[in-house]
Amino acid sequence: MESGSATWLRSFVPRPDAARRIVCLAHGGGGATGFRPWAEALPGTEVIAVQYPGREDRVGDAFPPDLTAMAALIADELAPLLDRPYALFGHSMGATVAHEVAQVLRDRGRPEPLRLFASGREAPHDEEGGKVHLMDDDALAAELRRLGGTDAEVLRAPELRAMILAYVREDYRLIETYRPSHRPPLTCPVSVFLGAADPDLDPARASRWARATTGPTDLRVFPGDHFYLVPHRAEMLAAVAAALG
């Protein structure tokens, strides 16, 4: 697999003098460009987006064998950017990846993030796996429609559908086969975000992220479903900015 920061990390508006960075990790099936609008919305912060393989400008790049290996590769490329404080934001699968990246960096003696933002995902110790990645294309497409994050028209175009489902299936494989290792909890603050109408997560389950850290946790519920952060981006980014101070 190709290596180097040009592969995994994107900075749409470089801010070399920013006081801090926030590293953003998308949901399964998502890409780095979804975070492009964030760059102008977080003053004093450089937004770094992680680009998973198989999509956008990484079509054809190989997937890592598992989520743990992917987190290690991301941590490799983040290492030169830890010259200033950083936060991690992950949505859905990205929240699990962000937590694993924070653990890997700590294992290597690097600082923990200023704050971990875990959006739309149960805590790592509640991961139950799944079999969506083993389903046929029609069932996989139905799952995407259920969650509401994929334009139905896109899934009607045969070639585009085949390309999307190929990398979505790999993303589901990574998250559904992931089992966290037994490590001490983080010590950084954790902010947990979710949509009020998320079909797979409720506040009680989301609040179990408190077990993932010895630091403070807070829970914020936004209007909307699993992809609340698209229609309510301004409100959500205001909450991120406030949490970062």
Side-chain angles (χ1 to χ4, degrees):
M1 185 187 305
E2 183 185 355
S3 61
S5 60
T7 299
W8 286 92
L9 306 180
R10 305 286 180 272
S11 177
F12 300 110
V13 181
R15 290 196 172 108
D17 298 325
R20 59 187 169 250
R21 296 184 171 102
I22 185 167
V23 181
C24 303
L25 299 104
H27 59 281
T33 56
F35 295 105
R36 186 187 294 273
W38 291 38
E40 301 295 347
L42 296 172
T45 304
E46 184 176 29
V47 176
I48 305 293
V50 173
Q51 186 73 293
Y52 304 138
R55 72 215 67 201
E56 296 181 359
D57 57 351
R58 295 197 65 191
V59 172
D61 282 5
F63 278 76
D66 53 47
L67 189 144
T68 302
M70 183 164 77
L73 290 168
I74 294 168
D76 289 345
E77 297 196 3
L78 284 177
L81 302 182
L82 303 184
D83 58 332
R84 67 198 67 182
Y86 73 101
L88 292 168
F89 181 101
H91 179 63
S92 197
M93 179 183 88
T96 306
V97 181
H99 177 264
E100 182 69 18
V101 169
Q103 290 277 11
V104 170
L105 289 172
R106 185 178 65 175
D107 290 348
R108 297 176 180 180
R110 307 309 298 265
E112 289 188 26
L114 286 171
R115 184 174 293 267
L116 171 64
F117 294 90
S119 169
R121 187 74 188 174
E122 66 265 26
H125 55 268
D126 286 335
E127 290 283 350
E128 297 177 345
K131 297 182 179 179
V132 173
H133 68 288
L134 301 175
M135 295 178 178
D136 63 25
D137 282 357
D138 288 343
L140 183 56
E143 175 67 8
L144 296 183
R145 288 191 291 270
R146 182 184 73 86
L147 290 173
T150 305
D151 187 343
E153 289 300 319
V154 169
L155 295 176
R156 293 192 183 100
E159 291 185 5
L160 194 53
R161 168 182 150 123
M163 181 183 70
I164 291 172
L165 292 184
Y167 64 73
V168 167
R169 186 180 302 282
E170 287 292 306
D171 288 350
Y172 269 94
R173 175 184 64 79
L174 291 172
I175 191 63
E176 290 183 333
T177 61
Y178 172 70
R179 297 295 181 273
S181 59
H182 295 288
R183 293 180 173 110
L186 299 172
T187 62
C188 64
V190 175
S191 289
V192 185
F193 294 171
L194 75 153
D198 191 313
D200 295 333
L201 188 66
D202 60 34
R205 190 166 173 82
S207 68
R208 287 172 56 81
W209 273 94
R211 287 183 54 194
T213 183
T214 59
T217 60
D218 57 89
L219 176 68
R220 178 74 179 267
V221 181
F222 295 86
D225 58 17
H226 186 64
F227 289 100
Y228 73 91
L229 70 175
V230 178
H232 299 283
R233 179 188 296 133
E235 181 182 354
M236 187 271 298
L237 285 176
V240 170
L244 289 176

